[in-house]
Amino acid sequence: MQNYLIFDENIKQMKELISTSEKIRQANEEQVTLTFHQKLHRAKLAIGKVTKNANNPHFKKSYADLNAIIEAVEPILLENGLLLLQPIHGNSVCTQIIDVDSGTMIESCMDLPTGLDPQKMGSAITYYRRYTLQSILSLQAVDDDGHSASQPVK
């Protein structure tokens, strides 16, 4: 008699498990596939403002460096199925955001200056990566070092 009770209980648990699995499967089928722009919109809502974490002592200004921006945006982009890449194409630094499901992409590029030594070129690449990323996502940032840096030092 006790064996029948255990058997009945096991059958009941299996039916509940199958029912739960079926509900999950149906919910997944009903889930609407988001477009690239909907994913990007959700990501932008989650990103918010980027915290300034670096100082430019030459101009006595603070700014969010490239690492701070990437730390703030990349996890949110990935959560939304968006891949961030920053390749160099020819003489341009590009920032690309790609929808991993559809392959749809947006891109922001800036041409690198010519005639720089390797150290200055590396600095320019980092600077352009930061600004193309801020631009493509329309990140809220105060231009603390861009305009000021172009002015002669007093």
Side-chain angles (χ1 to χ4, degrees):
M1 181 74 143
Q2 191 173 11
N3 288 339
Y4 290 119
L5 292 174
I6 292 172
F7 183 73
D8 285 343
E9 187 62 32
N10 286 343
I11 289 175
K12 183 179 175 184
Q13 288 174 351
M14 288 181 65
K15 285 181 180 179
E16 287 174 8
L17 183 60
I18 290 169
S19 175
T20 302
S21 297
E22 182 62 22
K23 287 177 186 175
I24 291 170
R25 187 192 62 75
Q26 287 174 354
N28 287 338
E29 284 179 3
E30 292 173 5
Q31 192 174 32
V32 176
T33 302
L34 298 177
T35 67
F36 172 66
H37 292 98
Q38 288 170 326
K39 290 178 181 182
L40 191 57
H41 179 255
R42 284 186 178 193
K44 284 187 56 64
L45 288 173
I47 290 170
K49 293 182 181 181
V50 179
T51 304
K52 296 177 182 182
N53 69 328
N55 290 306
N56 182 334
H58 188 66
F59 296 105
K60 298 182 176 114
K61 301 287 182 170
S62 61
Y63 64 97
D65 70 8
L66 177 61
N67 291 332
I69 296 171
I70 290 174
E71 284 178 22
V73 303
E74 191 169 40
I76 295 168
L77 291 172
L78 291 171
E79 287 173 11
N80 285 280
L82 301 171
L83 179 63
L84 170 66
L85 298 177
Q86 293 191 295
I88 297 174
H89 290 297
N91 197 41
S92 297
V93 173
C94 296
T95 292
Q96 303 169 337
I97 298 177
I98 304 163
D99 182 346
V100 298
D101 296 319
S102 70
T104 305
M105 175 183 77
I106 58 171
E107 182 176 62
S108 175
C109 298
M110 290 178 73
D111 290 337
L112 288 164
T114 57
L116 298 179
D117 64 45
Q119 290 77 20
K120 288 180 182 173
M121 182 62 77
S123 293
I125 290 169
T126 300
Y127 188 86
Y128 284 23
R129 285 179 63 205
R130 180 165 57 103
Y131 276 95
T132 57
L133 182 53
Q134 284 179 252
S135 173
I136 203 167
L137 290 172
S138 301
L139 295 178
Q140 294 181 3
V142 176
D143 184 8
D144 285 341
D145 62 346
H147 180 69
S148 300
S150 65
Q151 303 301 317
V153 179
K154 294 179 184 178

